[in-house]
Amino acid sequence: QVQLQQWGAGLLKPSETLSLTCAVDGGSFIGYYWSWIRQPPGKGLEWIGEINQSGSTNYNPSLKSRVAISVDTSKNQFSLKVSSVAAADTAVYYCARFKGFGINNWFDPWGQGTLVTVSS
Amino acid sequence: SSELTQDPAVSVALGQTVRITCQGDSLRNYYASWYQQKPGQAPVLVIYGKDNRPSGIPDRFSGSSSGNTASLTITGAQAEDEADYYCTSRVFFGGGTKLTVL
């Protein structure tokens, strides 16, 4: 059974760069897109972006200028960087596996989440 | 349009049936998937595809779709079903529905 384990810094100052990594344990890296999703406190879920094993990426247009997702297939890991963070970037960040084929699509499993707080 | 609309809150009496809906143009072309999120926890997939449940999800959860509307139905709601429920279509999320079990 695939499990995702994520980690990264939880407290940042404005203008710093957010950096998180997600490790994929127990399953193939191939054939999926690997996503980052965030949830501000008390609010809903927002898709940030995704990457596949070849390094092909897609980003949320609202965040694209500040986001970079990378993959290390030798370690079965993928990472998120968000530059120039502000208070509005305070959220729980999740990694998740995305499966989409034809008209079917879903996120499963999810990482445990990392609370990232941006405060001066 | 990528927007998905959900009712912010729904309530159901214990043991009764509740339907949570999700509306959006993209649902005419893609099935919705549904996630349950309890406080302080990561979302959990409960329905995907036409009406599929991952292993471990009780069969009181079911999904359906018609036109631009997808629905999650809980038949015989239990206290432990009280949670936030989100629909997605591709990478777009609905705003979530807070389900209260009375």
Side-chain angles (χ1 to χ4, degrees):
Chain A
Q1 181 156 341
V2 176
Q3 291 186 317
L4 304 184
Q5 183 72 30
Q6 59 182 102
W7 65 89
L11 181 60
L12 297 173
K13 290 181 167 53
S15 80
E16 292 185 334
T17 295
L18 178 158
S19 182
L20 299 173
T21 298
C22 184
V24 180
D25 184 31
S28 174
F29 215 65
I30 297 172
Y32 300 93
Y33 268 87
W34 302 91
S35 297
W36 289 98
I37 296 156
R38 71 180 183 178
Q39 185 173 36
K43 296 188 178 181
L45 298 163
E46 178 183 36
W47 177 75
I48 299 170
E50 63 185 6
I51 192 167
N52 68 5
Q53 76 278 1
S54 301
S56 177
T57 55
N58 296 294
Y59 298 123
N60 187 324
S62 69
L63 297 167
K64 186 175 183 177
S65 64
R66 298 193 294 124
V67 170
I69 297 176
S70 59
V71 65
D72 185 339
T73 54
S74 68
K75 295 181 179 179
N76 271 15
Q77 294 176 1
F78 61 108
S79 299
L80 169 71
K81 290 189 186 297
V82 181
S83 62
S84 303
V85 297
D89 294 309
T90 294
V92 176
Y93 287 74
Y94 295 100
C95 58
R97 183 180 70 175
F98 177 77
K99 180 66 176 179
F101 61 96
I103 62 176
N104 295 285
N105 55 94
W106 62 89
F107 293 97
D108 182 64
W110 295 59
Q112 78 276 19
T114 301
L115 174 61
V116 177
T117 302
V118 181
S119 175
S120 56
Chain B
S1 170
S2 59
E3 186 175 317
L4 297 176
T5 302
Q6 296 183 243
D7 291 330
V10 171
S11 62
V12 62
L14 184 68
Q16 296 303 299
T17 296
V18 62
R19 177 174 292 182
I20 299 169
T21 61
C22 176
Q23 288 188 303
D25 288 342
S26 64
L27 296 176
R28 297 184 185 278
N29 301 310
Y30 297 100
Y31 286 123
S33 53
W34 290 92
Y35 305 83
Q36 177 192 71
Q37 186 180 35
K38 297 182 179 179
Q41 298 183 18
V44 173
L45 178 69
V46 294
I47 291 289
Y48 67 99
K50 187 175 182 181
D51 179 20
N52 300 298
R53 285 175 288 104
S55 174
I57 301 301
D59 61 6
R60 63 179 179 271
F61 289 88
S62 63
S64 62
S65 182
S66 177
N68 73 335
T69 301
S71 300
L72 172 70
T73 300
I74 307 174
T75 303
Q78 301 300 302
E80 60 264 33
D81 300 334
E82 186 163 290
D84 294 328
Y85 290 86
Y86 293 90
C87 63
T88 71
S89 176
R90 293 290 294 169
V91 297
F92 305 106
F93 287 88
T97 297
K98 183 176 184 61
L99 176 66
T100 301
V101 180
L102 303 172

